[in-house]
Amino acid sequence: METTKLTDEQLYLVLEEAFRRATHDKDFRNRCLENPKHAIHELSGKELPDNIEISFVESNKGNHIGRELDLDQLDSICGGAGFTTTAVKRKLCFTLQ
């Protein structure tokens, strides 16, 4: 049996729910940080598309919200994931507040 993949629209909705839930559910927040693919699957029952890598990072006092980051800063915050998008592979990184 083949696993169903999330569409872009479904992914957007699942990410909104993930942010809401991670705000109030510490265990889910930890799952997002440790295994984002599993956390997304838990919410949606579907897998991420093969061309998407996703990661969540914990917000900290020295966060970079409100200012533009260079590629080295993105790498240090997101472990190399950054917000880069290409036609072949999309790498998404989100900060949990």
Side-chain angles (χ1 to χ4, degrees):
M1 183 172 145
E2 189 173 319
T3 306
T4 305
K5 305 285 183 177
L6 288 165
T7 65
D8 284 348
E9 184 177 327
Q10 291 169 332
L11 178 59
Y12 176 79
L13 295 172
V14 169
L15 288 171
E16 282 185 338
E17 177 60 26
F19 279 110
R20 277 194 295 276
R21 187 165 169 191
T23 301
H24 303 290
D25 181 341
K26 185 177 179 179
D27 291 333
F28 181 76
R29 181 186 191 90
N30 288 335
R31 286 193 294 282
C32 285
L33 295 167
E34 294 169 9
N35 190 340
K37 282 186 174 184
H38 177 75
I40 296 302
H41 184 267
E42 178 183 328
L43 286 177
S44 68
K46 297 182 179 184
E47 299 293 329
L48 288 172
D50 294 334
N51 67 327
I52 293 182
E53 290 180 27
I54 192 166
S55 63
F56 294 90
V57 294
E58 190 76 58
S59 177
N60 61 41
K61 300 275 186 207
N63 67 31
H64 302 282
I65 294 172
R67 65 185 176 104
E68 200 169 315
L69 304 177
D70 63 33
L71 292 177
D72 289 334
Q73 290 169 317
L74 280 175
D75 282 347
S76 71
I77 292 170
C78 298
F83 289 98
T84 59
T85 301
T86 66
V88 176
K89 190 85 158 170
R90 292 190 295 176
K91 297 181 180 184
L92 307 171
C93 178
F94 301 96
T95 302
L96 296 174
Q97 298 295 321

